[in-house]
Amino acid sequence: MSTDTPTAPTPVTSGPAAPRWTTHRELQAWIEEVVVLTTPDAVHVCEGSEAERAALTDALVGSRTLTRLTAKPDSFLAWSDPTDVARVEDRTFICSVEEKDAGPTNNWMAPDEMKAVLTDLFRGCMTGRTLYVVPFVMGSLDAEHPMFGVELTDSAYVVASMGIMTRSGTEVLDALERTQARYVPCLHSVGMPLADGVEDVPWPSNPTKYIVQFPEERAVWSFGSGYGGNALLGKKCYALRIASAMARDEGWLAEHMLILKLTSPQQETHYIAAAFPSACGKTNLAMLEPTLPGWTVQTLGDDIAWLRFGDDGRLWASNPEAGLFGVAPGTGWDTNPNAMRTIAQGHSLFTNVALTDDGDVWWEGMTDEPPAHLTDWHGESWTPDSDGPSSHPNSRFCTPIAQCPVLAPEYDDPRGVPISAILFGGRRRTTVPLVTEARDWAHGVFMGATLSSETTAASTGQTGVVRRDPMAMLPFIGYDAGDYMGHWLDMGKGADASRLPRVFYVNWFRRAGATGDGPFLWPGFGENGRVLKWVVDRLEGRAAARDTAVGRVPTYGGIDTTGLDIDEETMAAALRVDHDEWARELPRLQEWFDSLGTTLPSTLRQELEVLRSRLVG
Ligand SMILES: Nc1nc2c(ncn2[C@@H]2O[C@H](COP(=O)(O)OP(=O)(O)OP(=O)(O)O)[C@@H](O)[C@H]2O)c(=O)[nH]1
Ligand SMILES: O=C([O-])CC(=O)C(=O)O
Ligand SMILES: [Mn+2]
């Protein structure tokens, strides 16, 4: 297929001029350009209506991409190609004009060179398919400057998912057209053209994948994958990678954070944001049902937060998304009942989980006892005696956040909510205590900058390997990591320290035994409300803390364990700051900082020296 003889999309066949898809001049021109390059059979501008969604999902059932669940209203199950199940970090690029601006933690290629590679791949790639135009806004349409995007995609699964994850459709397009506003162009293809006679498969994808951000141009190109973080381009590509570059330029933060509202028995309310790497507990904490009487958690967001200073000098956070794209395994009535209630209402897409014989979904951890028979995510018959899990470890539910029964009413307030505390956290079997409070903002930034976690199934590659994941943003920083840390420090500099969020570092995943091979020390999930209580007690000046080499940890008895079956020894082990373990951490921290090169802020090197002297004198 060559661009010299473009195949006209269906609506064009009547005449030589391109049809008018929109009165937004730039968007019209871009669609025309993409049509010429990718040669789709038809173009469909998405309106986001119920009828459209029904037609799309019907078609997806027809093409065997989706199976309709009979046990839940308007809900569907997709099984992906087994090679397309997670984000592909090694195929993800930050194509800044200068290589140094992508920094040492990102893959880079010169924009012109990458455009040439991608243009070749996209040429004719939508043949036999429909090009969908999805106008969307990240955050509120009522924001002072709505954060528009438009995704052009040849995947109806992506359209259905974007309909859940973002505010999208006619209302957004109208606003775009009225204001001729700028938007982030997000071009996506599964990369599997259907030339004459080629039969489609339920989950088209291309073995060659490219997830590419152009930070200066504020544009995204994604090729070859249909999976969430690679293909729903409003999410990681725009709301984190592109937005982090915008945020650096404009003095705000785009972060991989949940947002929750915590209310104490005394009716004190605090908004808390928390950054944990993928598959490390954000969705669970965001919807937590505290076991401590009188405490409530309400949800504002479970994955992404945009934080800006308000006129009051406080940092305000808002959630740019409209849906939850949650890890399925481990989500159950015991661990995350609010997620179960959210999906029970239907209107959800499930990917790579198992199908029950009565038309419902199941995954490991949903119930204690697995059903006697399932169809697993490969479409094979499965029983509890089968080898391997029924669901992929990174299988997902995609569901409207509006269905969350504990949604905070202010979640879609364009101003966001003022944040009292930021938690950083990771998945560490050893070393890192259950909770540690930073001494000040710079120390908090140091905690974030040195955050470490064992890798998970949310990204392809080996799992369980400890890596540094600054602010849980390693795969999502759209520019140089040292500059990013510097931006965090700068955010604190002009601010009134008493109004900045206090910073804490948590680890729900510490295990018993010297090498961390034993069971979890801390029960986690709803019991994490006890740690949140300590955080609030610190904010309210009610709780004492023990100053240690790594920061402030709860005093003996500081964590309220009323009604919890945990012995003192285990509690002490969960909170212990072990100098030998931390001394072993020092060379790794040094190595991490050295790997970041000259842009690493000197303040963070000084923080490392402070830690070293506190630990080894
Ligand atoms: N042991 C333990 N496991 C937890 C806890 N919280 C979450 N998990 C498990 O960690 C996994 C991931 O949890 P999520 O809440 O989905 O993680 P996330 O950070 O939202 O993940 P992404 O959507 O990939 O960004 C699930 O299998 C959970 O069951 C906890 O407090 N303790
Ligand atoms: O982006 C995805 O595919 C899912 C997600 O939230 C993450 O990996 O952090
Ligand atoms: Mn995430």
Side-chain angles (χ1 to χ4, degrees):
M1 188 64 51
S2 101
T3 41
D4 304 331
T5 52
T7 310
T10 314
V12 183
T13 47
S14 54
R20 195 152 263 298
W21 290 293
T22 169
T23 60
H24 190 291
R25 288 180 295 276
E26 243 179 272
L27 178 56
Q28 171 71 21
W30 182 49
I31 299 171
E32 285 176 22
E33 196 185 307
V34 170
V35 164
V36 170
L37 176 64
T38 65
T39 64
D41 279 9
V43 175
H44 177 89
V45 179
C46 297
E47 53 186 37
S49 65
E50 286 296 321
E52 181 184 71
R53 179 179 156 79
L56 267 178
T57 48
D58 281 351
L60 284 162
V61 170
S63 65
R64 293 178 301 121
T65 307
L66 296 183
T67 301
R68 186 182 301 278
L69 299 174
T70 50
K72 284 183 166 64
D74 181 33
S75 295
F76 302 88
L77 167 59
W79 289 323
S80 80
D81 186 283
T83 62
D84 193 24
V85 294
R87 285 183 295 101
V88 283
E89 292 179 10
D90 58 337
R91 305 301 307 156
T92 300
F93 293 79
I94 300 297
C95 293
S96 44
V97 173
E98 301 223 25
E99 181 169 12
K100 69 170 177 39
D101 292 327
T105 60
N106 285 311
N107 299 311
W108 177 85
M109 204 191 280
D112 287 352
E113 208 181 314
M114 180 59 91
K115 283 273 174 74
V117 170
L118 291 174
T119 300
D120 274 347
L121 288 168
F122 274 88
R123 189 168 292 127
C125 74
M126 298 191 187
T127 300
R129 300 190 184 278
T130 296
L131 167 61
Y132 298 95
V133 178
V134 185
F136 64 92
V137 62
M138 299 310 293
S140 176
L141 197 52
D142 300 327
E144 199 182 344
H145 301 288
M147 300 289 274
F148 291 109
V150 177
E151 179 156 352
L152 302 189
T153 177
D154 55 9
S155 163
Y157 166 89
V158 164
V159 176
S161 304
M162 284 290 286
I164 295 172
M165 294 306 298
T166 68
R167 299 158 181 88
S168 60
T170 302
E171 206 193 346
V172 175
L173 185 60
D174 285 350
L176 262 170
E177 290 177 340
R178 213 171 36 246
T179 56
Q180 296 286 312
R182 298 201 63 183
Y183 60 91
V184 172
C186 300
L187 176 58
H188 171 255
S189 173
V190 294
M192 205 186 186
L194 298 170
D196 282 345
V198 173
E199 244 195 83
D200 206 358
V201 294
W203 187 278
S205 60
N206 192 307
T208 300
K209 300 187 194 334
Y210 279 93
I211 318 301
V212 182
Q213 285 68 210
F214 297 96
E216 288 97 350
E217 192 191 328
R218 317 276 201 233
V220 182
W221 294 48
S222 165
F223 182 87
S225 171
Y227 168 79
N230 301 329
L232 314 180
L233 302 186
K235 192 173 178 56
K236 303 300 174 163
C237 301
Y238 178 172
L240 288 178
R241 297 195 190 100
I242 296 292
S244 65
M246 295 173 162
R248 169 204 53 192
D249 296 345
E250 298 166 8
W252 50 284
L253 293 167
E255 299 298 323
H256 194 200
M257 289 179 175
L258 67 92
I259 311 167
L260 64 80
K261 177 184 185 178
L262 184 65
T263 307
S264 74
Q266 297 83 34
Q267 299 306 308
E268 300 147 333
T269 60
H270 286 284
Y271 298 98
I272 295 178
F276 312 153
S278 302
C280 292
K282 288 183 301 300
T283 300
N284 277 270
L285 192 70
M287 310 180 129
L288 156 133
E289 221 169 48
T291 49
L292 278 176
W295 289 79
T296 56
V297 164
Q298 289 169 288
T299 309
L300 289 103
D302 82 320
D303 199 53
I304 299 178
W306 286 351
L307 302 105
R308 293 183 168 84
F309 280 109
D311 297 338
D312 59 356
R314 300 188 71 187
L315 202 50
W316 290 62
S318 63
N319 171 13
E321 299 191 281
L324 309 170
F325 187 68
V327 178
T331 306
W333 290 102
D334 295 343
T335 54
N336 191 350
N338 287 321
M340 297 301 288
R341 292 179 190 117
T342 307
I343 60 182
Q345 294 191 48
H347 319 291
S348 302
L349 286 182
F350 299 87
T351 303
N352 290 338
V353 302
L355 178 66
T356 68
D357 292 349
D358 54 359
D360 207 342
V361 283
W362 191 85
W363 48 74
E364 280 64 30
M366 181 192 280
T367 53
D368 287 344
E369 287 292 313
H373 182 260
L374 295 165
T375 308
D376 72 13
W377 74 281
H378 295 291
E380 308 278 341
S381 177
W382 186 96
T383 70
D385 295 331
S386 297
D387 293 336
S390 69
S391 304
H392 188 274
N394 191 42
S395 53
R396 297 270 167 171
F397 56 82
C398 177
T399 193
I401 196 170
Q403 291 180 188
C404 175
V406 294
L407 188 69
E410 54 274 53
Y411 111 94
D412 61 356
D413 187 329
R415 290 172 308 168
V417 293
I419 297 297
S420 301
I422 289 173
L423 315 186
F424 291 117
R427 190 181 275 272
R428 287 295 303 268
R429 299 168 167 269
T430 65
T431 317
V432 179
L434 179 61
V435 57
T436 313
E437 185 188 350
R439 290 184 294 274
D440 54 29
W441 183 257
H443 184 223
V445 174
F446 174 78
M447 282 179 169
T450 55
L451 193 157
S452 56
S453 197
E454 292 150 21
T455 50
T456 67
S459 168
T460 55
Q462 210 185 341
T463 61
V465 182
V466 174
R467 72 171 183 186
R468 299 294 136 183
D469 192 341
M471 286 76 177
M473 281 283 284
L474 181 69
F476 309 121
I477 303 171
Y479 57 103
D480 173 75
D483 287 340
Y484 168 76
M485 293 166 186
H487 179 53
W488 263 85
L489 288 170
D490 287 347
M491 289 289 288
K493 270 182 197 144
D496 173 351
S498 70
R499 292 184 167 251
L500 281 172
R502 300 257 286 268
V503 180
F504 298 79
Y505 191 168
V506 299
N507 178 20
W508 316 138
F509 299 94
R510 200 173 190 180
R511 290 171 182 261
T515 52
D517 290 328
F520 289 118
L521 291 166
W522 178 249
F525 302 104
E527 307 299 356
N528 293 336
R530 299 171 189 272
V531 175
L532 297 183
K533 172 177 190 280
W534 187 75
V535 167
V536 168
D537 287 345
R538 289 293 298 161
L539 297 173
E540 297 285 347
R542 285 194 291 256
R546 200 157 52 84
D547 202 16
T548 76
V550 299
R552 296 172 180 150
V553 300
T555 50
Y556 176 78
I559 300 282
D560 185 343
T561 55
T562 317
L564 182 65
D565 186 20
I566 187 168
D567 57 52
E568 282 172 24
E569 206 183 318
T570 308
M571 196 65 232
L575 288 170
R576 181 161 52 233
V577 176
D578 182 315
H579 278 222
D580 292 339
E581 281 182 338
W582 276 98
R584 284 199 288 279
E585 201 78 358
L586 284 174
R588 300 190 200 171
L589 295 177
Q590 185 69 55
E591 201 184 318
W592 164 236
F593 276 1
D594 290 346
S595 77
L596 294 175
T598 54
T599 55
L600 178 79
S602 56
T603 307
L604 295 181
R605 281 201 190 277
Q606 286 153 20
E607 286 289 340
L608 180 55
E609 289 321 307
V610 171
L611 175 63
R612 195 191 309 277
S613 64
R614 281 176 167 244
L615 279 170
V616 292

